[in-house]
Amino acid sequence: MNTEIIENFPANHKAGFVSIVGKPNVGKSTLMNQLVGERLSIITSKAQTTRHRIMGILNGTHNGQEFQLVYSDTPGIIKPQYKLHESMMSFVRGSIEDADVVLFVTDIFEQHDENDVIDRLQKSEVPILLLINKIDQATHDQVTEKIAYWEAHFKAQEIIPISALNGFNIDTVFDAIFNRLPVHPPYFPKDELTDKPERFFASEIIREKIFLNYKKEVPYSSEVIITSFKEKPDIIVVQAEILVERATQRAILLGEGGKMIKKTGIMAREELERFFGKKVFLEQFVKVEPDWRQKERMLKRLGYDE
Ligand SMILES: Nc1nc2c(ncn2[C@@H]2O[C@H](COP(=O)(O)OP(=O)(O)OP(=O)(O)O)[C@@H](O)[C@H]2O)c(=O)[nH]1
Ligand SMILES: [Mg+2]
């Protein structure tokens, strides 16, 4: 840790870890990006988009008090089918253990089958805020009904209906977090936005475009490794390896005459340029790595080893 910053904070400085957990697709990543004010986590309409614990750090002053909030976006909680999933769930566990506040995100469409999430949370002593997301898609009565349901079925310190997409009630969520934040020195230097390196975000952006462009098993069987990331004065040159599990998936990824991979590459490059604020040259290679989701050694290499 940087000792220089430790010396430079007011005595009443507040800091803490806020873990964002819930089932897949409820809007955790959308919420984290709203709270941090940056597009750090990738978002798609498919479940199980997020595979890592991604920290988004927000520094500021609120009511005259300096603070640092370290949000953790996490993978949606599922019953593991692959070693990959086990590792994803260990990221969730770790984030709950570290948390000063947990945001338990549910959405208006959920069919009350979040028992696995609830079991996990009710064992922890951490203050929990239950958020009901996507209320832009619901009537007033449906929201009231959902609140009543959760009041009867879960012990949360607060229940807050939100729309992460539209930013509705995000300030209420912030206040609820801030009120529970302990007085503590900052955990990270104040100019850091995340715990993850640039390469990680490059691979996530490519993975997002794969999730958007391909169907069924293909996105879930794909992983992206950045094999080279070279920043030059006016351009970043990125080489990415896309792993799939089978030759048939490789063929789908490439598409007829390489059309699909080209489209994916263009979308990824445009997003990379937005994210890094610089021109990007992107080269992609598609490689078959049978059953990588089950192979411990591969998973380690891919960063699933918390
Ligand atoms: N209508 C509506 N859609 C939302 C809202 N928040 C998120 N979504 C959509 O829900 C889908 C899933 O959002 P994500 O933020 O990726 O959800 P997640 O919980 O991170 O999903 P996983 O990473 O798969 O666990 C996307 O299509 C979002 O645009 C909301 O407030 N309203
Ligand atoms: Mg997510």
Side-chain angles (χ1 to χ4, degrees):
M1 194 171 291
N2 189 335
T3 49
E4 190 191 344
I5 57 139
I6 304 286
E7 288 160 11
N8 277 322
F9 63 91
N12 69 347
H13 186 282
K14 279 185 158 195
F17 286 83
V18 181
S19 176
I20 304 173
V21 303
K23 290 192 66 98
N25 213 38
V26 292
K28 298 178 297 299
S29 298
T30 309
L31 175 67
M32 152 118 141
N33 290 350
Q34 276 283 2
L35 286 164
V36 179
E38 298 279 344
R39 202 173 187 285
L40 283 180
S41 273
I42 60 169
I43 297 165
T44 79
S45 59
K46 293 189 174 72
Q48 296 175 42
T49 301
T50 305
R51 291 180 184 162
H52 290 267
R53 173 182 181 180
I54 303 162
M55 291 187 193
I57 306 166
L58 181 71
N59 294 293
T61 305
H62 187 64
N63 298 336
Q65 200 165 4
E66 227 184 281
F67 69 89
Q68 178 174 77
L69 272 168
V70 186
Y71 292 104
S72 290
D73 183 20
T74 65
I77 296 177
I78 48 167
K79 290 200 171 53
Q81 287 174 305
Y82 299 93
K83 282 212 167 72
L84 168 69
H85 294 161
E86 288 169 21
S87 173
M88 284 159 58
M89 293 310 103
S90 82
F91 293 147
V92 180
R93 231 176 359 257
S95 86
I96 296 172
E97 281 164 14
D98 291 348
D100 294 289
V101 179
V102 167
L103 306 182
F104 172 20
V105 186
T106 68
D107 77 26
I108 202 81
F109 305 113
E110 267 185 285
Q111 296 301 308
H112 308 314
D113 58 349
E114 30 314 73
N115 281 337
D116 34 357
V117 186
I118 292 170
D119 288 349
R120 233 169 251 257
L121 288 178
Q122 243 141 35
K123 283 184 209 137
S124 93
E125 305 271 294
V126 187
I128 298 169
L129 308 175
L130 191 148
L131 310 182
I132 304 170
N133 191 27
K134 307 193 187 180
I135 64 156
D136 53 283
Q137 297 276 310
T139 63
H140 189 269
D141 286 352
Q142 284 170 320
V143 176
T144 314
E145 211 175 286
K146 273 280 175 187
I147 293 174
Y149 171 84
W150 281 114
E151 273 171 351
H153 288 87
F154 189 83
K155 263 185 84 68
Q157 293 200 347
E158 281 187 44
I159 298 177
I160 309 171
I162 63 167
S163 169
L165 192 67
N166 300 340
F168 176 76
N169 255 355
I170 299 303
D171 47 353
T172 311
V173 175
F174 177 86
D175 284 340
I177 295 167
F178 189 83
N179 291 338
R180 290 169 175 81
L181 209 58
V183 169
H184 195 282
Y187 291 95
F188 293 91
K190 291 270 178 160
D191 56 354
E192 272 177 31
L193 185 63
T194 177
D195 63 325
K196 293 267 188 279
E198 287 176 325
R199 277 170 187 250
F200 173 79
F201 294 100
S203 69
E204 285 291 275
I205 287 168
I206 298 167
R207 214 162 56 73
E208 180 182 70
K209 302 314 171 196
I210 295 170
F211 263 72
L212 292 174
N213 284 334
Y214 300 93
K215 288 189 275 226
K216 295 183 186 157
E217 267 306 282
V218 174
Y220 296 105
S221 307
S222 300
E223 182 63 73
V224 178
I225 306 176
I226 304 299
T227 49
S228 168
F229 186 99
K230 291 199 180 116
E231 183 149 11
K232 302 186 175 171
D234 50 358
I235 197 166
I236 305 174
V237 181
V238 181
Q239 282 182 345
E241 217 169 73
I242 302 173
L243 303 186
V244 287
E245 294 197 308
R246 285 193 293 277
T248 47
Q249 295 164 346
R250 182 173 188 274
I252 294 170
L253 215 72
L254 294 174
E256 221 187 303
K259 250 193 219 142
M260 278 308 286
I261 193 70
K262 193 168 172 200
K263 180 183 168 200
T264 307
I266 291 170
M267 286 168 72
R269 178 182 47 76
E270 286 171 353
E271 181 81 29
L272 287 164
E273 289 181 341
R274 255 195 304 278
F275 187 84
F276 292 110
K278 209 167 187 177
K279 257 188 102 56
V280 170
F281 179 75
L282 172 64
E283 258 187 305
Q284 306 176 109
F285 306 90
V286 185
K287 204 173 131 185
V288 180
E289 181 67 52
D291 300 319
W292 67 263
R293 284 184 287 180
Q294 287 288 34
K295 287 185 182 156
E296 226 145 286
R297 236 196 44 211
M298 258 332 277
L299 290 171
K300 253 203 170 121
R301 199 185 142 205
L302 295 165
Y304 297 101
D305 60 349
E306 186 166 89

